[in-house]
Amino acid sequence: MLWSHPAMQSAENTSLVGEEYEVEIGPVAHGGHCIARTSEGQVLFVRHALPGERVLARVTDGEEGARFLRADAVEILQASKDRIDAPCPFAGPGRCGGCDWQHARPGAQRRLKGEVIAEQLQRLAGLTPEEAGWDGTVVPAEGDKVPAGEVPAWRTRVQYAVTPDGRAGLRRHRSHEVEPISHCMIAAEGVSELGIEKRDWTGMDSVEAIAASGSQDRQVVLTPKPGARLPLVELDRPVSVLRIDERSGGVHRVHGRPFVRERADGRTYRVGGSGFWQVHPKAADTLVTAVMQGLLPRKGDMGLDLYCGVGLFAGALADRVGEDGAVLGIESGKRAVEDARHNLADFPRVRIEQGKVESVLPRTGITEVDLIVLDPPRAGAGRKTVAHLASLGARKIAYVACDPAALARDIAYFRDGGYRVRTLRAFDLFPMTHHVECVAILEPVAKLS
């Protein structure tokens, strides 16, 4: 059933934005939405809906003849038993785009993420959960199992966009528009206590707030608009302040430490600028534990840590392979490499190389390793890199993935190289969003047969 707005009737304009369809909601899809079809058979990717619901969906992106349309559920005609009122006042159609599942019970969110992982494994790798050594569950982080209607405050790094009149907010879904907010419910206490939302940020393009979970370090990273002067930063807690140069993209210290100190696996890690560190306060330890339990490193092993960041997994490996072992880390970010070398300076048998994995690894001359950890960016490692890794004959490979589609694609490439998934574990380290973290342990086919 279709309601047409008069403004949409122009024969010269085939955009369907604003059109509304009454639809039955089908399965969840990768990306924080569910699938539905119009009565004409056109596919709708619908946000703010749940499988099995009947909703009125308003198109937000797409035109006649497109493969699919994007839409928001603006009225719930028949609700799922998993639906709740969104706890966050800034969530919902046309509002903040940061959370995808505020309207779903916490257990339902994890179930939906599990369905996405299973669908991607089947479609891209041809594997059932059983064949991937996965029990089908997505495990919440310690302390995150909250009742429906409550929201875990987990996000230790929040990037606020700024409105033209200087108010801090978050971007709307697939938009540059800013939703001003007074409080982000998923922000960690250390971020919320800074009071970013109460200040005037006129002239700034963005303000990133960082609250280290391994120390009391607090940091604000400012990105000014071209030609704008930095404001005097007076927040509710002591912070160090950094500035991102609008021309070069480089990070410069304004005052305080140019890094924060994080803690994981019994070690302290320096993370400079706005460098990468797991956002959930329990994530680093959770992932290190899963990786080490899967790899079971031995004294004297030679290991690789690829896309190693500031050295989290390299440090865990080095600690376990001992003085007779060795670890090579590869990371493309210059500042992250500097931090990794600092963080792991007490391990003489650890080497960190800067550059892209696909360029640096072949130049090392390494032809054989015992263990590999890779934590690639969202796009995955890719066919060429996976083929190289498979040729090194590692006893075990740990693949840490923030995107189930990339993981499934790379698992298929590993299969071509003679490796199969032995176990897979999934962790809900991004509650209220569609994101999920996986750790897959791969072994040579000959060992599994």
Side-chain angles (χ1 to χ4, degrees):
M1 190 173 181
L2 168 64
W3 289 263
S4 297
H5 296 278
M8 300 295 165
Q9 299 305 305
S10 169
E12 298 177 2
N13 184 5
T14 59
S15 171
L16 293 178
V17 173
E19 299 284 9
E20 294 180 348
Y21 298 87
E22 187 176 311
V23 293
E24 298 279 354
I25 300 298
V28 65
H30 184 27
H33 49 254
C34 297
I35 298 173
R37 288 184 182 273
T38 68
S39 57
E40 293 81 22
Q42 194 163 22
V43 173
L44 286 175
F45 288 159
V46 186
R47 283 174 58 81
H48 311 290
L50 293 171
E53 293 187 324
R54 188 165 190 82
V55 308
L56 186 63
R58 181 180 297 152
V59 176
T60 58
D61 185 30
E63 56 190 34
E64 291 178 3
R67 284 196 308 116
F68 62 85
L69 307 173
R70 298 184 185 276
D72 283 342
V74 294
E75 184 178 346
I76 310 304
L77 306 174
Q78 185 176 334
S80 164
K81 62 179 176 57
D82 290 323
R83 175 172 288 277
I84 59 171
D85 292 333
C88 177
F90 308 105
R95 305 294 300 278
C96 172
C99 290
D100 307 290
W101 300 119
Q102 285 268 351
H103 58 286
R105 295 179 183 276
Q109 294 181 34
R110 293 190 287 272
R111 189 170 66 251
L112 291 169
K113 295 181 187 193
E115 290 173 8
V116 168
I117 297 168
E119 190 271 337
Q120 296 295 307
L121 285 172
Q122 181 63 58
R123 186 168 65 86
L124 299 174
L127 294 176
T128 65
E130 293 76 17
E131 290 169 333
W134 175 45
D135 64 6
T137 63
V138 176
V139 181
E142 180 187 343
D144 276 1
K145 206 164 184 179
V146 297
E150 293 187 21
V151 175
W154 59 270
R155 194 172 185 89
T156 61
R157 292 164 179 250
V158 177
Q159 178 124 10
Y160 296 89
V162 179
T163 65
D165 60 355
R167 291 186 294 168
L170 298 169
R171 298 213 182 267
R172 293 167 183 155
H173 182 61
R174 294 174 59 83
S175 172
H176 293 295
E177 293 182 1
V178 179
E179 177 77 18
I181 64 171
S182 58
H183 173 64
C184 175
M185 293 187 74
I186 65 171
E189 182 181 353
V191 169
S192 296
E193 67 185 12
L194 295 179
I196 298 290
E197 300 93 339
K198 297 186 294 185
R199 299 296 188 269
D200 181 352
W201 300 103
T202 299
M204 298 300 102
D205 186 65
S206 68
V207 179
E208 182 179 13
I210 300 170
S213 52
S215 67
Q216 291 300 307
D217 294 348
R218 304 290 180 260
Q219 191 174 82
V220 169
V221 184
L222 303 176
T223 304
K225 295 181 186 298
R229 298 180 62 181
L230 291 182
L232 179 63
V233 178
E234 293 182 339
L235 296 174
D236 294 346
R237 295 288 187 278
V239 295
S240 58
V241 179
L242 282 71
R243 172 180 62 85
I244 294 182
D245 187 277
E246 62 266 28
R247 294 190 183 89
S248 68
V251 182
H252 304 280
R253 184 178 70 88
V254 178
H255 70 75
R257 287 195 186 95
F259 58 84
V260 296
R261 294 163 296 176
E262 299 283 4
R263 188 113 180 123
D265 196 41
R267 296 182 60 81
T268 297
Y269 289 83
R270 185 182 83 181
V271 185
S274 56
F276 176 78
W277 184 261
Q278 290 289 339
V279 179
H280 194 292
K282 302 291 185 181
D285 273 323
T286 297
L287 295 174
V288 166
T289 298
V291 167
M292 294 302 128
Q293 286 177 345
L295 292 182
L296 297 175
R298 303 169 186 167
K299 298 296 184 184
D301 275 344
M302 164 61 188
L304 295 178
D305 179 10
L306 308 179
Y307 317 93
C308 71
V310 300
L312 173 63
F313 296 115
L317 275 175
D319 191 48
R320 289 158 175 82
V321 301
E323 295 180 359
D324 295 330
V327 178
L328 170 66
I330 301 177
E331 165 59 39
S332 61
K334 181 179 178 182
R335 181 58 197 263
V337 167
E338 292 173 359
D339 286 337
R341 289 171 176 165
H342 168 86
N343 293 333
L344 306 177
D346 56 331
F347 292 117
R349 299 270 289 167
V350 172
R351 190 167 95 247
I352 307 295
E353 296 287 348
Q354 184 189 348
K356 294 185 176 181
V357 169
E358 60 268 28
S359 301
V360 173
L361 188 56
R363 295 202 304 263
T364 63
I366 293 173
T367 58
E368 188 176 348
V369 297
D370 298 300
L371 302 172
I372 298 172
V373 183
L374 66 156
D375 185 3
R378 194 165 298 281
R383 186 188 296 272
K384 185 177 179 181
T385 296
V386 167
H388 189 159
L389 297 181
S391 74
L392 300 178
R395 183 174 76 247
K396 291 187 179 183
I397 298 173
Y399 190 128
V400 182
C402 60
D403 185 281
L407 172 64
R409 281 193 298 269
D410 284 348
I411 283 174
Y413 299 149
F414 271 114
R415 181 173 57 218
D416 295 340
Y419 279 78
R420 296 285 189 275
V421 184
R422 177 64 179 267
T423 62
L424 187 147
R425 299 172 69 184
F427 302 96
D428 189 16
L429 301 180
F430 308 90
M432 303 291 150
T433 79
H434 75 272
H435 299 289
V436 63
E437 201 86 14
C438 295
V439 175
I441 304 298
L442 299 100
E443 294 182 356
V445 172
K447 186 169 183 178
L448 292 176
S449 59

